[in-house]
Amino acid sequence: MSIEENRNCNCNCSCQMNSVEEREEQECMKCKETERRVDCDLRREMMQQIRAYEFSINELALYLDTHPEDQKALCLHRKYCKEVKELKDKGVPVIGSYCTYFPKEIAMAMGAATVSLCSTSDETIPAAEKDLPRNLCPLIKSSYGFAKTDKCPFFYFSDVVVGETTCDGKKKMYEYMGEFKEVFIMELPQSQKAEVLDLWKAEILRFKEYLEKKFEITITEEQVRKAVKLENEVRTSLKNLYGVMRHDPAPIKGHDLFRVLYGSGFKLDRTLIADEVDALTAKIEKEYAEGKREDKKPRILITGCPIGGATEKIIDAVENNGGIVVTFENCSGAKSIDRLIDEDAEDIYQAIAERYLSIGCSVMTPNPNRLELLGRLIDEYKVDGVLEMTLQACHTYNVETLSIRRFVNEEKGIPYMNVETDYSQTDVGQLNTRIAAFIEML
């Protein structure tokens, strides 16, 4: 559904999107320096609201992938799109991104909302294939399709999209995307060697300077440190929530945990998210102590490409066939929250660069940090088997399956299975058959 279609919702709820001209007065305060910017405190408050709506919209979008006729959910999705548009109209900058290498703290420091862009459904792939080859990674085609068709509200409202030089397909996608959207490309080194760290730090500083020039603001070190502290708190809380799955048997299903994390930001104040997640963790631990838990089942770790939306069929295939997913080693899971930024570092930009460059991804050569995290998760979560999900035409992850298989089988001594899929649902039956056999073997 496009942004214009969202505006024309014909249901009886009050979720229609109205244009700026239709509102009788602006609710935002103007800074003295320029009429285009609001008071900094008000901007931060509205930024927190936009982030909360991001979680809500993403969660509803995932639900609507499998329940497209649910009118209540559809209207709620439109309502949140309307509300985030109204906040955007008040002057809050929106910075969109596609990758966990994006240093969000720099954008947060200037009072911007950082949002992840839609790329987990096959809905827009036919539109993307008018420009892109059919034998391309579905994540890239979906991302480009949502952008080109204006069906991703956050892409539509983004002032700028930040891309990164990870895989070749995404780099070319950003070139085409730049024809209809402002795109800032960060040159990500393809190695984690010490000598390239200065290059990545320079890119982070270049991004900071770009934002300062574009939005006519100054990003101070104090603002950056505050953003670092906030995100560290959120990462720590989410990591603790993941940690409940160390229990054996597990306290909840892996898919329940996955969906809770996607919906963890329904509160409007971003600063309250850590407390909310901590409270949920405490509740799960309390109920576990009282005997509320899952039956003992084979414990599965999912690794590989990002999971979300259409590819949640992999989680379902595990948990509908006698297994339980206890941890995720991918961009949707532990990889994005495992490491913190050193808040006390003398050079905070160096610390940010070190944290992000240390993320283990198949685009890195060599890629020891992925193996380190994978091995640690296998041990900590008492994993019985590793299931790797690779997307069709994702060449870096597909090639790396050999080293992951060797590591899991030979060094950790447990079974490994790889499945290749896309964003369609045509292979659900085959996936269930294969994964059920794998779990039965365990």
Side-chain angles (χ1 to χ4, degrees):
M1 179 170 293
S2 70
I3 301 301
E4 290 301 321
E5 290 171 327
N6 272 329
R7 289 196 180 107
N8 297 325
C9 172
N10 58 9
C11 58
N12 293 323
C13 67
S14 57
C15 62
Q16 287 87 351
M17 297 181 68
N18 300 318
S19 66
V20 182
E21 293 77 14
E22 291 172 335
R23 293 200 297 272
E24 295 182 354
E25 60 182 75
Q26 292 287 339
E27 298 177 295
C28 60
M29 299 173 60
K30 308 290 185 178
C31 285
K32 292 181 181 179
E33 295 82 5
T34 171
E35 294 181 353
R36 293 183 291 110
R37 299 203 301 274
V38 298
D39 175 81
C40 294
D41 289 337
L42 182 59
R43 172 177 289 186
R44 280 193 291 270
E45 179 182 348
M46 292 187 295
M47 172 200 68
Q48 292 160 2
Q49 290 178 313
I50 284 182
R51 285 182 181 160
Y53 287 131
E54 175 199 5
F55 282 103
S56 302
I57 291 174
N58 285 347
E59 177 72 3
L60 285 166
L62 291 174
Y63 175 79
L64 287 167
D65 281 341
T66 53
H67 301 79
E69 304 303 322
D70 190 325
Q71 290 300 311
K72 184 176 179 181
L74 184 61
C75 288
L76 189 58
H77 185 270
R78 288 165 171 161
K79 177 177 182 289
Y80 287 145
C81 289
K82 171 200 170 185
E83 291 173 355
V84 75
K85 177 186 182 297
E86 290 177 346
L87 287 169
K88 175 67 177 67
D89 288 338
K90 292 175 182 178
V92 177
V94 178
I95 312 297
S97 68
Y98 288 98
C99 186
T100 53
Y101 283 109
F102 168 60
K104 65 174 64 178
E105 290 82 0
I106 303 300
M108 289 171 56
M110 63 163 278
T114 60
V115 294
S116 298
L117 301 177
C118 306
S119 56
T120 60
S121 168
D122 65 349
E123 177 186 357
T124 63
I125 286 180
E129 289 178 343
K130 294 178 181 178
D131 295 346
L132 304 177
R134 294 176 61 86
N135 61 340
L136 188 63
C137 165
L139 186 150
I140 296 172
K141 291 191 290 185
S142 177
S143 299
Y144 182 80
F146 271 106
K148 184 181 178 183
T149 60
D150 271 343
K151 291 188 175 182
C152 175
F154 284 101
F155 185 92
Y156 182 85
F157 293 129
S158 292
D159 295 284
V160 62
V161 171
V162 179
E164 76 301 319
T165 55
T166 48
C167 69
D168 291 339
K170 287 180 74 176
K171 285 186 284 189
K172 290 300 177 183
M173 177 192 75
Y174 293 134
E175 287 184 22
Y176 292 132
M177 195 177 285
E179 296 176 3
F180 52 87
K181 193 74 171 182
E182 184 166 353
V183 178
F184 180 87
I185 301 296
M186 299 190 71
E187 298 289 340
L188 177 72
Q190 305 287 281
S191 168
Q192 295 166 327
K193 297 177 181 177
E195 51 266 34
V196 303
L197 183 60
D198 288 342
L199 298 176
W200 184 231
K201 176 186 172 183
E203 282 298 287
I204 291 173
L205 290 172
R206 186 172 70 89
F207 177 50
K208 169 180 173 289
E209 293 165 0
Y210 162 80
L211 293 178
E212 289 176 323
K213 182 178 179 180
K214 176 176 176 59
F215 295 100
E216 299 177 356
I217 48 88
T218 299
I219 300 174
T220 67
E221 182 174 321
E222 180 183 4
Q223 291 170 327
V224 173
R225 289 185 181 275
K226 285 182 178 179
V228 166
K229 180 176 176 60
L230 174 60
E231 281 306 301
N232 273 352
E233 290 173 352
V234 172
R235 291 187 186 107
T236 298
S237 294
L238 291 175
K239 189 175 180 180
N240 290 337
L241 179 59
Y242 262 96
V244 303
M245 301 301 282
R246 292 189 180 96
H247 288 299
D248 188 10
I252 59 176
K253 290 185 180 296
H255 207 163
D256 292 338
L257 175 67
F258 184 87
R259 298 304 290 266
V260 165
L261 293 170
Y262 260 84
S264 62
F266 279 85
K267 288 291 183 180
L268 295 183
D269 190 344
R270 173 74 170 178
T271 61
L272 296 178
I273 291 179
D275 289 339
E276 292 283 336
V277 174
D278 290 342
L280 177 59
T281 303
K283 180 176 183 291
I284 293 172
E285 292 285 8
K286 179 177 181 296
E287 292 180 347
Y288 189 84
E290 295 170 349
K292 185 177 180 180
R293 59 192 66 176
E294 294 293 311
D295 294 333
K296 190 170 178 62
K297 304 171 183 177
R299 300 166 64 84
I300 304 299
L301 178 152
I302 292 181
T303 185
C305 296
I307 280 189
T311 51
E312 289 180 44
K313 60 188 175 182
I314 303 298
I315 308 174
D316 288 335
V318 171
E319 301 195 327
N320 291 341
N321 289 285
I324 190 160
V325 180
V326 293
T327 187
F328 300 85
E329 186 284 316
N330 51 23
C331 298
S332 314
K335 185 181 296 184
S336 63
I337 60 175
D338 182 61
R339 296 173 185 261
L340 303 181
I341 296 172
D342 183 1
E343 299 175 22
D344 301 319
E346 181 177 354
D347 186 342
I348 192 63
Y349 299 104
Q350 181 83 2
I352 292 172
E354 289 175 351
R355 186 268 172 191
Y356 280 98
L357 193 62
S358 68
I359 294 173
C361 177
S362 62
V363 300
M364 294 293 173
T365 302
N367 189 17
N369 288 348
R370 183 185 178 195
L371 296 180
E372 186 277 329
L373 176 59
L374 183 61
R376 182 154 41 89
L377 293 175
I378 289 172
D379 295 338
E380 290 180 7
Y381 289 82
K382 300 183 283 290
V383 170
D384 297 312
V386 171
L387 175 61
E388 180 156 21
M389 188 278 290
T390 54
L391 293 172
Q392 291 178 0
C394 182
H395 300 309
T396 57
Y397 271 103
N398 272 306
V399 171
E400 199 166 80
T401 57
L402 175 61
S403 61
I404 299 300
R405 180 188 297 275
R406 287 172 174 170
F407 176 78
V408 172
N409 288 162
E410 298 172 12
E411 294 196 31
K412 306 309 293 184
I414 61 174
Y416 164 94
M417 179 185 186
N418 171 244
V419 294
E420 186 177 26
T421 187
D422 58 15
Y423 282 178
S424 74
Q425 299 299 304
T426 58
D427 61 349
V428 168
Q430 183 186 48
L431 288 172
N432 274 272
T433 300
R434 292 188 60 200
I435 292 173
F438 178 68
I439 293 172
E440 180 68 23
M441 177 188 68
L442 299 177

